[in-house]
Amino acid sequence: MRGGAGRKRSIQTTAAGRSAPGARRGTARVRERNCSVARTLGILSDAWTFLVIREAYFGAKRFETFRSSLGLPRATLIERLKRLTEQGIFRQERYSETSQRVEYRLTESGLELYPCFLALMQFGDRWLAGPKGPPLRLIHHTCNSMCRPIVACSSCLEEVTARRATYRDGPGAGFSTIAPARRARRSSDPSQFLRGRPSSVSNTLQLIGDRWSFLIIREAFLGSRRFDRLQSELKIASNILSDRLARLVTTGILARRRYQNQPERFEYRLTDMGKDLYGPLIAMMAWGDRWLAGPKGPPLILTHRDCGKDFTPLVICDRCRKPVASHDMGYQLNYDPQDFGAPDVPGPRAVPARRKARLNVPP
Ligand SMILES: [Zn+2]
Ligand SMILES: [Zn+2]
């Protein structure tokens, strides 16, 4: 994210120093700060991609299972499965020695995305669950308890919040050229995140919104509060910045405050809800550092104020303090999957769904 020296992003210019002709059409090559969260969100912020990975956690392996759970067009599903295989999140395996057909299985990197899903889910459960409560209850098989995963410091295993952590440049800090297509790519329709099962992860990703909204949230964590500063940090068109800021205020992530009367000027600060996105963001950062950072290493290093040590964010069970993994977690569904047109595809250790299940949640 932010570093000390040279917080400059430049749009490549022609020899005459003017913006290249392509700039206006959004094809200029842009240098952007290396950021493992942005890299991870580059994968998850595509609604279809996210939904396919989520169904895999629910046990889907075969093309037709994904297709019937999500109702995706065939060509879209083929494209997403292909891309996820190229990205190393799925690997293909034949049904059997004699079969030509393949299953899609999560690789180690795919399985390790699971804690990020849980961190996003916890945020959604806290802030976005409706009157019926969170859609899923989690059962940690390791300690056989109802569990609320938390994002914790790898050194002291205590929960980490934005206030209790500092950051500095890591060996991978710097800038990379972003392919214009990636930067300009329109996000998928955010409402698609809500397809199929009710999900706090979907709610959270829909709230974070597109890549621009996320980058604004990131800058807010780094202390940028004012329009001009955000604009110069992100090289973002002012109409897009106004639009995204208005949306982030409406959704309750940012609060708008007047800091000057004549002329009237406003700044944008993270609300308590906005600050609570810190956990999911650093969980995604940890995954990006591990699987997507270049050979130099992580762009950012975090230090936990409470224990004074550098740390890697870990998603752990609040009861037994052990890291959570998909094979150790069971679910109770707080909804009937039939209500959402999704056939129930429970994972191998999922607890059977019960309509309006009453749960005894330990204090
Ligand atoms: Zn610590
Ligand atoms: Zn546990």
Side-chain angles (χ1 to χ4, degrees), residues 250-273:
T250 307
T251 50
I253 292 178
L254 294 178
R256 187 170 178 257
R257 293 215 189 111
R258 186 165 49 213
Y259 69 89
Q260 183 181 301
N261 280 323
Q262 285 178 333
E264 200 172 47
R265 289 193 195 282
F266 295 88
E267 62 182 17
Y268 298 84
R269 289 172 180 246
L270 288 160
T271 59
D272 286 344
M273 177 179 162

mmCIF file of all heavy atoms in Angstrom, residues 250-273:
data_model
loop_
_atom_site.group_PDB
_atom_site.id
_atom_site.type_symbol
_atom_site.label_atom_id
_atom_site.label_comp_id
_atom_site.label_asym_id
_atom_site.label_seq_id
_atom_site.Cartn_x
_atom_site.Cartn_y
_atom_site.Cartn_z
ATOM 1 N N THR A 250 -23.365 6.381 1.396
ATOM 2 C CA THR A 250 -24.715 5.788 1.479
ATOM 3 C C THR A 250 -24.682 4.420 2.147
ATOM 4 O O THR A 250 -25.549 4.086 2.948
ATOM 5 C CB THR A 250 -25.310 5.623 0.053
ATOM 6 O OG1 THR A 250 -25.223 6.878 -0.599
ATOM 7 C CG2 THR A 250 -26.749 5.168 0.111
ATOM 8 N N THR A 251 -23.653 3.625 1.822
ATOM 9 C CA THR A 251 -23.609 2.280 2.401
ATOM 10 C C THR A 251 -23.054 2.285 3.823
ATOM 11 O O THR A 251 -23.054 1.253 4.482
ATOM 12 C CB THR A 251 -22.731 1.338 1.543
ATOM 13 O OG1 THR A 251 -21.481 1.977 1.292
ATOM 14 C CG2 THR A 251 -23.399 1.014 0.228
ATOM 15 N N GLY A 252 -22.588 3.453 4.303
ATOM 16 C CA GLY A 252 -22.186 3.548 5.707
ATOM 17 C C GLY A 252 -20.739 3.182 5.972
ATOM 18 O O GLY A 252 -20.345 3.007 7.117
ATOM 19 N N ILE A 253 -19.913 3.084 4.925
ATOM 20 C CA ILE A 253 -18.489 2.784 5.139
ATOM 21 C C ILE A 253 -17.716 4.066 5.445
ATOM 22 O O ILE A 253 -16.807 4.084 6.265
ATOM 23 C CB ILE A 253 -17.902 2.067 3.899
ATOM 24 C CG1 ILE A 253 -18.530 0.675 3.784
ATOM 25 C CG2 ILE A 253 -16.390 1.960 3.992
ATOM 26 C CD1 ILE A 253 -18.080 -0.102 2.585
ATOM 27 N N LEU A 254 -18.095 5.159 4.770
ATOM 28 C CA LEU A 254 -17.452 6.452 5.010
ATOM 29 C C LEU A 254 -18.484 7.437 5.543
ATOM 30 O O LEU A 254 -19.669 7.327 5.233
ATOM 31 C CB LEU A 254 -16.863 7.010 3.702
ATOM 32 C CG LEU A 254 -15.709 6.254 3.048
ATOM 33 C CD1 LEU A 254 -15.307 6.949 1.745
ATOM 34 C CD2 LEU A 254 -14.497 6.154 3.970
ATOM 35 N N ALA A 255 -18.015 8.384 6.359
ATOM 36 C CA ALA A 255 -18.872 9.485 6.803
ATOM 37 C C ALA A 255 -18.299 10.775 6.245
ATOM 38 O O ALA A 255 -17.074 10.945 6.187
ATOM 39 C CB ALA A 255 -18.919 9.535 8.318
ATOM 40 N N ARG A 256 -19.174 11.653 5.817
ATOM 41 C CA ARG A 256 -18.752 12.916 5.218
ATOM 42 C C ARG A 256 -18.813 13.992 6.291
ATOM 43 O O ARG A 256 -19.843 14.161 6.937
ATOM 44 C CB ARG A 256 -19.720 13.228 4.074
ATOM 45 C CG ARG A 256 -19.404 14.400 3.203
ATOM 46 C CD ARG A 256 -20.358 14.342 2.002
ATOM 47 N NE ARG A 256 -20.198 15.457 1.101
ATOM 48 C CZ ARG A 256 -21.035 16.497 1.062
ATOM 49 N NH1 ARG A 256 -22.071 16.555 1.863
ATOM 50 N NH2 ARG A 256 -20.836 17.472 0.195
ATOM 51 N N ARG A 257 -17.696 14.713 6.483
ATOM 52 C CA ARG A 257 -17.674 15.759 7.511
ATOM 53 C C ARG A 257 -17.127 17.050 6.923
ATOM 54 O O ARG A 257 -16.163 17.024 6.177
ATOM 55 C CB ARG A 257 -16.744 15.354 8.657
ATOM 56 C CG ARG A 257 -17.249 14.194 9.419
ATOM 57 C CD ARG A 257 -16.913 14.297 10.896
ATOM 58 N NE ARG A 257 -17.272 13.007 11.498
ATOM 59 C CZ ARG A 257 -16.388 12.144 11.956
ATOM 60 N NH1 ARG A 257 -15.115 12.439 11.935
ATOM 61 N NH2 ARG A 257 -16.776 10.989 12.460
ATOM 62 N N ARG A 258 -17.754 18.170 7.328
ATOM 63 C CA ARG A 258 -17.273 19.460 6.852
ATOM 64 C C ARG A 258 -16.031 19.853 7.648
ATOM 65 O O ARG A 258 -16.020 19.754 8.868
ATOM 66 C CB ARG A 258 -18.354 20.517 7.017
ATOM 67 C CG ARG A 258 -17.957 21.854 6.408
ATOM 68 C CD ARG A 258 -19.115 22.788 6.252
ATOM 69 N NE ARG A 258 -19.861 22.861 7.490
ATOM 70 C CZ ARG A 258 -21.169 23.035 7.556
ATOM 71 N NH1 ARG A 258 -21.877 23.129 6.461
ATOM 72 N NH2 ARG A 258 -21.786 23.086 8.724
ATOM 73 N N TYR A 259 -14.974 20.259 6.956
ATOM 74 C CA TYR A 259 -13.781 20.711 7.687
ATOM 75 C C TYR A 259 -13.476 22.173 7.428
ATOM 76 O O TYR A 259 -12.564 22.737 8.015
ATOM 77 C CB TYR A 259 -12.576 19.821 7.368
ATOM 78 C CG TYR A 259 -12.027 19.939 5.960
ATOM 79 C CD1 TYR A 259 -11.045 20.877 5.645
ATOM 80 C CD2 TYR A 259 -12.488 19.100 4.956
ATOM 81 C CE1 TYR A 259 -10.539 20.972 4.365
ATOM 82 C CE2 TYR A 259 -11.990 19.194 3.674
ATOM 83 C CZ TYR A 259 -11.014 20.133 3.380
ATOM 84 O OH TYR A 259 -10.510 20.227 2.106
ATOM 85 N N GLN A 260 -14.225 22.789 6.535
ATOM 86 C CA GLN A 260 -13.983 24.198 6.221
ATOM 87 C C GLN A 260 -15.302 24.824 5.782
ATOM 88 O O GLN A 260 -16.087 24.175 5.087
ATOM 89 C CB GLN A 260 -12.953 24.289 5.094
ATOM 90 C CG GLN A 260 -12.560 25.696 4.714
ATOM 91 C CD GLN A 260 -11.545 25.691 3.575
ATOM 92 O OE1 GLN A 260 -10.468 25.115 3.686
ATOM 93 N NE2 GLN A 260 -11.906 26.323 2.476
ATOM 94 N N ASN A 261 -15.521 26.101 6.202
ATOM 95 C CA ASN A 261 -16.790 26.737 5.856
ATOM 96 C C ASN A 261 -16.736 27.555 4.574
ATOM 97 O O ASN A 261 -17.654 27.491 3.764
ATOM 98 C CB ASN A 261 -17.261 27.627 7.007
ATOM 99 C CG ASN A 261 -17.918 26.794 8.093
ATOM 100 O OD1 ASN A 261 -18.605 25.817 7.793
ATOM 101 N ND2 ASN A 261 -17.674 27.147 9.335
ATOM 102 N N GLN A 262 -15.694 28.385 4.428
ATOM 103 C CA GLN A 262 -15.667 29.241 3.244
ATOM 104 C C GLN A 262 -14.384 29.047 2.465
ATOM 105 O O GLN A 262 -13.328 29.478 2.956
ATOM 106 C CB GLN A 262 -15.818 30.702 3.662
ATOM 107 C CG GLN A 262 -17.246 31.005 4.043
ATOM 108 C CD GLN A 262 -17.408 32.432 4.516
ATOM 109 O OE1 GLN A 262 -16.466 33.050 5.021
ATOM 110 N NE2 GLN A 262 -18.585 32.974 4.365
ATOM 111 N N PRO A 263 -14.417 28.454 1.306
ATOM 112 C CA PRO A 263 -15.593 27.765 0.772
ATOM 113 C C PRO A 263 -15.823 26.456 1.532
ATOM 114 O O PRO A 263 -14.891 25.925 2.141
ATOM 115 C CB PRO A 263 -15.213 27.495 -0.689
ATOM 116 C CG PRO A 263 -13.718 27.430 -0.675
ATOM 117 C CD PRO A 263 -13.263 28.338 0.417
ATOM 118 N N GLU A 264 -17.011 25.974 1.429
ATOM 119 C CA GLU A 264 -17.384 24.767 2.150
ATOM 120 C C GLU A 264 -16.631 23.556 1.581
ATOM 121 O O GLU A 264 -16.639 23.340 0.376
ATOM 122 C CB GLU A 264 -18.890 24.558 1.977
ATOM 123 C CG GLU A 264 -19.502 23.673 3.015
ATOM 124 C CD GLU A 264 -21.017 23.659 2.908
ATOM 125 O OE1 GLU A 264 -21.513 23.510 1.770
ATOM 126 O OE2 GLU A 264 -21.679 23.778 3.948
ATOM 127 N N ARG A 265 -15.942 22.839 2.474
ATOM 128 C CA ARG A 265 -15.230 21.640 2.009
ATOM 129 C C ARG A 265 -15.464 20.479 2.966
ATOM 130 O O ARG A 265 -15.646 20.692 4.157
ATOM 131 C CB ARG A 265 -13.721 21.907 1.911
ATOM 132 C CG ARG A 265 -13.360 22.812 0.778
ATOM 133 C CD ARG A 265 -11.872 22.782 0.529
ATOM 134 N NE ARG A 265 -11.442 23.881 -0.311
ATOM 135 C CZ ARG A 265 -11.606 23.912 -1.628
ATOM 136 N NH1 ARG A 265 -12.165 22.898 -2.251
ATOM 137 N NH2 ARG A 265 -11.176 24.942 -2.329
ATOM 138 N N PHE A 266 -15.403 19.279 2.395
ATOM 139 C CA PHE A 266 -15.719 18.087 3.184
ATOM 140 C C PHE A 266 -14.577 17.083 3.131
ATOM 141 O O PHE A 266 -13.820 17.045 2.171
ATOM 142 C CB PHE A 266 -16.994 17.415 2.653
ATOM 143 C CG PHE A 266 -18.220 18.264 2.816
ATOM 144 C CD1 PHE A 266 -18.583 19.175 1.827
ATOM 145 C CD2 PHE A 266 -18.999 18.170 3.964
ATOM 146 C CE1 PHE A 266 -19.707 19.979 1.985
ATOM 147 C CE2 PHE A 266 -20.116 18.965 4.126
ATOM 148 C CZ PHE A 266 -20.469 19.871 3.133
ATOM 149 N N GLU A 267 -14.485 16.293 4.172
ATOM 150 C CA GLU A 267 -13.559 15.159 4.112
ATOM 151 C C GLU A 267 -14.323 13.876 4.445
ATOM 152 O O GLU A 267 -15.453 13.924 4.934
ATOM 153 C CB GLU A 267 -12.356 15.363 5.031
ATOM 154 C CG GLU A 267 -12.686 15.489 6.487
ATOM 155 C CD GLU A 267 -11.431 15.738 7.310
ATOM 156 O OE1 GLU A 267 -10.390 16.128 6.764
ATOM 157 O OE2 GLU A 267 -11.503 15.527 8.533
ATOM 158 N N TYR A 268 -13.679 12.768 4.164
ATOM 159 C CA TYR A 268 -14.340 11.466 4.289
ATOM 160 C C TYR A 268 -13.555 10.611 5.260
ATOM 161 O O TYR A 268 -12.358 10.407 5.092
ATOM 162 C CB TYR A 268 -14.418 10.789 2.919
ATOM 163 C CG TYR A 268 -15.237 11.596 1.940
ATOM 164 C CD1 TYR A 268 -14.658 12.644 1.234
ATOM 165 C CD2 TYR A 268 -16.594 11.338 1.772
ATOM 166 C CE1 TYR A 268 -15.411 13.421 0.365
ATOM 167 C CE2 TYR A 268 -17.349 12.112 0.911
ATOM 168 C CZ TYR A 268 -16.752 13.143 0.209
ATOM 169 O OH TYR A 268 -17.502 13.913 -0.638
ATOM 170 N N ARG A 269 -14.258 10.121 6.281
ATOM 171 C CA ARG A 269 -13.589 9.289 7.276
ATOM 172 C C ARG A 269 -14.281 7.952 7.373
ATOM 173 O O ARG A 269 -15.493 7.860 7.214
ATOM 174 C CB ARG A 269 -13.656 9.952 8.651
ATOM 175 C CG ARG A 269 -12.787 11.172 8.753
ATOM 176 C CD ARG A 269 -13.055 11.864 10.070
ATOM 177 N NE ARG A 269 -12.206 13.044 10.173
ATOM 178 C CZ ARG A 269 -11.238 13.181 11.064
ATOM 179 N NH1 ARG A 269 -10.997 12.228 11.940
ATOM 180 N NH2 ARG A 269 -10.507 14.271 11.092
ATOM 181 N N LEU A 270 -13.501 6.935 7.688
ATOM 182 C CA LEU A 270 -14.091 5.608 7.886
ATOM 183 C C LEU A 270 -14.998 5.632 9.111
ATOM 184 O O LEU A 270 -14.621 6.164 10.161
ATOM 185 C CB LEU A 270 -12.982 4.571 8.099
ATOM 186 C CG LEU A 270 -12.164 4.214 6.864
ATOM 187 C CD1 LEU A 270 -10.839 3.583 7.283
ATOM 188 C CD2 LEU A 270 -12.936 3.274 5.950
ATOM 189 N N THR A 271 -16.169 5.077 8.991
ATOM 190 C CA THR A 271 -17.059 4.897 10.138
ATOM 191 C C THR A 271 -16.577 3.681 10.931
ATOM 192 O O THR A 271 -15.640 2.987 10.511
ATOM 193 C CB THR A 271 -18.485 4.603 9.656
ATOM 194 O OG1 THR A 271 -18.417 3.409 8.861
ATOM 195 C CG2 THR A 271 -19.040 5.739 8.804
ATOM 196 N N ASP A 272 -17.226 3.387 12.051
ATOM 197 C CA ASP A 272 -16.864 2.167 12.797
ATOM 198 C C ASP A 272 -17.030 0.936 11.905
ATOM 199 O O ASP A 272 -16.214 0.014 11.935
ATOM 200 C CB ASP A 272 -17.757 2.012 14.036
ATOM 201 C CG ASP A 272 -17.367 3.014 15.112
ATOM 202 O OD1 ASP A 272 -16.255 3.585 15.009
ATOM 203 O OD2 ASP A 272 -18.169 3.233 16.038
ATOM 204 N N MET A 273 -18.096 0.961 11.106
ATOM 205 C CA MET A 273 -18.319 -0.156 10.194
ATOM 206 C C MET A 273 -17.193 -0.234 9.153
ATOM 207 O O MET A 273 -16.664 -1.305 8.868
ATOM 208 C CB MET A 273 -19.669 0.046 9.506
ATOM 209 C CG MET A 273 -20.025 -0.986 8.486
ATOM 210 S SD MET A 273 -21.682 -0.537 7.853
ATOM 211 C CE MET A 273 -21.730 -1.458 6.363
#
